[in-house]
Amino acid sequence: MSTTPVAFERHDERFDIAGDDYLECLFSDGRWTEGPVYIPSGRYLLFSDIPNDRLMRWDETDGSVSVFRSPAGYTNGHTLDRQGRLVSCEQGERRVTRTELDGSVTVLADRWRGKRFNSPNDVVVSGDGAVWFTDPPYGILSDYEGHRAEPEIEGCHVYRVDPGSGEVERVADDFSRPNGLAFSPDERTLYVDDTARGHIRAFSVDGGSLGGGGEFAKVPAGNPDGLRVDVRGRVWAAAADVFCFDPDGTHLGTLPIPQPAVSNLVFGGPKRNRLFVTATNSVYSILLNTNGAWRL
Ligand code: MG
C-alpha cells in the first residue's frame, strides 16, 4: 500500500474536518472504479471496476484485494439494504439487483412500463426499505461501460421501488443525467446530482414521492458523480476532487484526490469514520474525525 500526503482545503470557517494527513492508495489496477460499499459484518469494501466487468473486494483485515464477482453485469453503484444485503446497479444488464444472504441474485427492477432502463447507475435504500436509483445512459452509450444499445425510455430519470408491492415508480423526470444520490440523516431530504448540469439538487421526501428539487449546490470543478452524507448532514460529493458541503449548500472544504476524476465515495470501517474514494483507476481511503450517516 502506498500513501500520498494530502491537505484539506478550507473554504469556510465552519469546516472542521481533519484526519490523516495522507491518503492510502488501496488499489490502482482498475480502469474506472466506482460503486464503493463497505460491508461491516465482514470488514471489507466492495467496489466496481466497470470496464473490466468485475466487482472487487478489498479486505480491511489484511489489505488484500481479490475479485468478488466477474462477470458482474458491469456493476456501477452499490448500497446495503436494512438487512445488510448488497444492492447493485448493473449497467450491462440494465437492472437493479439484490444479492441474497445465500448468494443468489434477485432482480428488483429491470423495466418501467414495459421498457428496459438505460443503465442504472447509483442506488440508495431508505429506512422503509424502498430502493431509489438513477438511470443515466452511460452503460449503453458504448461498449466501454456496458453494452452499446438504443435507449427504450425517453430521457434519464430517478425511480423508486416500492418496498411493499415491488412496483417501480418514476419519482423525478426533469434531469439530464441523474447520478449519485443520498438521504439526509433524517431522510427528509434526498440529494441527487445531475452530472451534465454540474450541480446537486435537494428534494423534500414525502413518503414515496419527491417535492422541490431546486439547486442545492454546484460542484466547484469536474462532473458530480457519487454522493454521501455524514452524521451532521454535510454532503460529500465526488467530482474533480471530494467536495464537502454544509446542509445550507455552502462549499465548506475540499479533499484533493490525485487522479483526474473522482467517481464515488463511501464512509466505512467499523465506526464509519474511514472515507473510501474511487477515482479513475484507483481506490483511496482516509481516516476522518467525522462519521458517515447510518444510511449508506
Ligand atoms: Mg455514478
Side-chain angles (χ1 to χ4, degrees), residues 41-292:
S41 59
R43 292 194 62 191
Y44 60 90
L45 180 85
L46 295 177
F47 60 94
S48 303
D49 180 12
I50 302 176
N52 284 324
D53 193 14
R54 55 184 185 168
L55 181 55
M56 306 299 291
R57 178 187 189 275
W58 172 82
D59 191 317
E60 189 171 31
T61 66
D62 64 8
S64 64
V65 178
S66 56
V67 177
F68 181 82
R69 181 183 292 169
S70 183
Y74 289 87
T75 52
N76 191 325
H78 293 93
T79 194
L80 295 183
D81 72 5
R82 298 275 287 178
Q83 290 75 38
R85 297 171 296 190
L86 180 67
V87 178
S88 307
C89 291
E90 299 183 20
Q91 294 194 153
E93 302 300 326
R94 301 168 72 172
R95 65 188 188 180
V96 178
T97 60
R98 180 177 66 217
T99 301
E100 307 295 346
L101 299 180
D102 65 3
S104 62
V105 172
T106 300
V107 178
L108 300 180
D110 61 356
R111 279 174 169 76
W112 180 70
R113 296 186 177 173
K115 296 177 177 175
R116 297 185 76 190
F117 295 113
N118 299 321
S119 53
N121 187 291
D122 219 338
V123 60
V124 67
V125 178
S126 49
D128 61 0
V131 176
W132 306 68
F133 65 96
T134 56
D135 187 41
Y138 301 116
I140 59 171
L141 293 176
S142 75
D143 290 323
Y144 186 73
E145 284 195 48
H147 307 292
R148 182 196 298 274
E150 291 300 314
E152 296 186 16
I153 294 171
E154 191 176 335
C156 303
H157 311 299
V158 184
Y159 298 90
R160 174 185 181 272
V161 184
D162 187 82
S165 67
E167 289 291 312
V168 181
E169 307 152 74
R170 190 166 75 180
V171 292
D173 64 358
D174 59 348
F175 278 81
S176 176
R177 298 287 184 268
N179 200 321
L181 69 176
F183 284 100
S184 60
D186 62 8
E187 293 195 8
R188 295 172 67 173
T189 302
L190 178 67
Y191 299 100
V192 188
D193 64 34
D194 192 321
T195 300
R197 295 178 180 146
H199 67 177
I200 304 166
R201 299 170 62 184
F203 292 87
S204 58
V205 181
D206 182 11
S209 59
L210 300 178
E215 181 174 284
F216 168 73
K218 274 195 170 3
V219 297
N223 302 309
D225 201 331
L227 295 175
R228 304 287 184 188
V229 174
D230 71 19
V231 282
R232 285 168 56 187
R234 291 171 294 206
V235 177
W236 295 68
D241 290 301
V242 172
F243 301 108
C244 177
F245 298 92
D246 187 81
D248 71 8
T250 305
H251 174 209
L252 297 176
T254 298
L255 174 63
I257 302 294
Q259 291 287 346
V262 183
S263 61
N264 216 326
L265 69 172
V266 71
F267 291 95
K271 296 179 176 177
R272 301 193 309 281
N273 60 345
R274 187 171 186 172
L275 184 68
F276 294 93
V277 178
T278 50
T280 309
N281 62 356
S282 300
V283 179
Y284 298 92
S285 82
I286 184 169
L287 204 61
L288 299 177
N289 65 346
T290 188
N291 309 73

